[in-house]
Amino acid sequence: MPEPTRRAPSGAAALRADKTVAIAEAVLDELAEQGYGRLSMEAVAKRAGVGKSALYRRWPSKQHMIIAVVSELSVERLEAPDTGSLRGDVLALLRSVADWLTHPRFSRIFPDLIAEAHRDPALAEALARSVGEPRRARAVVVLDRAVGRGELPPDTDRETALDLLAALVYWHVSVRGVRPDADYLERTTETVLCALGARPAA
Amino acid sequence: MPEPTRRAPSGAAALRADKTVAIAEAVLDELAEQGYGRLSMEAVAKRAGVGKSALYRRWPSKQHMIIAVVSELSVERLEAPDTGSLRGDVLALLRSVADWLTHPRFSRIFPDLIAEAHRDPALAEALARSVGEPRRARAVVVLDRAVGRGELPPDTDRETALDLLAALVYWHVSVRGVRPDADYLERTTETVLCALGARPAA
């Protein structure tokens, strides 16, 4: 039985989780207020109540830090929905996209990162690898299950289908800035199902 | 018959068109390089080879100037396509969206304006009024003609249809940063037609 008073292991592994959480919150606050270009390591450290060395012990650069925090928010807590029908899964995916894009801070952060990515190819690549691809990998599971149930044709174009599952909500909410009304997600689910040529399960 | 040597009328109307063009080019260059937040009237004037007063004679503020130039680029030269079929018109509209979003400078400018609009409600409102709404008004003509030809149901949801005509290309090209392959626009046209429940003309 471990001794309750023993000391934490020393060295690289001994990063305090509470500090990591405080830093992540500070990164999101600074990103929402200042944007990627103006965010400084100093301001994040000050806001989190830690020294700058606490940041550099965790991540080698500002870009690594931001990508890690944004990826955690965007990907880590997600699972592919499995409601038993394509309609239910599409509705759940669209709701998760809408929740993500209307998250109080993230609604400002994501469009700013996209704008910055047009000026910074390394950031664009990191965003695609750490946010875009994991989210797409999750959604493709839904499409594959629907093909298995006979709700989608086996030759369904996965690329177009994955674009559909994010594009409409992004354009509506993040580009046009429209607050979705009560049945927006239901209507958009119907549009996506029509576009995919979905049919009821066999 | 007017005398060829008479002087231009004096006063507010006497804005030289060549200067206006040079200023618009300078605004686009500065927007692409610096972004909305860092763009200064001084830098635009210097780049265009005019005095700052030449800017303020045309527009009362930086925001008015930028909206006027971006609206001119985004709206003024566009007409609703009229190819005789919904398929042809949708393909033409998607191509015009792709051309707009991949325009060498505008591909950087538009995502930056969207990010800035999340921090500046007045800019968001001006963009919607001067860019979004005129573009949507142009596209709705295409939908109405297709309803008239029996290619779309009369109760077609115009809001969703208009979102579809921009959202997929925006997500693919501007958010994901994918360069469209040769038949991307053709495939996306099929997706849009499926989503709209289009049928051949009666």
Side-chain angles (χ1 to χ4, degrees), chain B residues 66-88:
Chain B
I66 288 174
I67 290 290
V69 171
V70 168
S71 170
E72 160 77 22
L73 173 72
S74 304
V75 178
E76 297 299 317
R77 290 164 237 176
L78 293 175
E79 286 183 42
D82 190 9
T83 64
S85 75
L86 179 59
R87 178 182 309 273

Side-chain angles (χ1 to χ4, degrees), chain A residues 30-50:
Chain A
E30 288 289 315
L31 273 180
E33 286 173 21
Q34 302 296 330
Y36 184 97
R38 285 184 295 262
L39 178 142
S40 74
M41 298 300 262
E42 287 77 6
V44 169
K46 189 172 171 196
R47 190 160 202 151
V50 301

Side-chain angles (χ1 to χ4, degrees), chain A residues 149-165:
Chain A
R149 285 190 300 259
E151 291 184 276
L152 287 179
D155 65 348
T156 292
D157 174 354
R158 306 294 200 276
E159 279 293 293
T160 303
L162 292 171
D163 276 3
L164 262 170
L165 287 166

Side-chain angles (χ1 to χ4, degrees), chain A residues 118 136 163 172 174 176 191, chain B residues 118 136 163 172 174 176:
Chain A
H118 282 270
R136 288 171 83 83
D163 276 3
H172 196 75
S174 289
R176 296 184 58 216
T191 302
Chain B
H118 282 270
R136 289 171 81 82
D163 277 2
H172 196 75
S174 290
R176 295 184 59 216

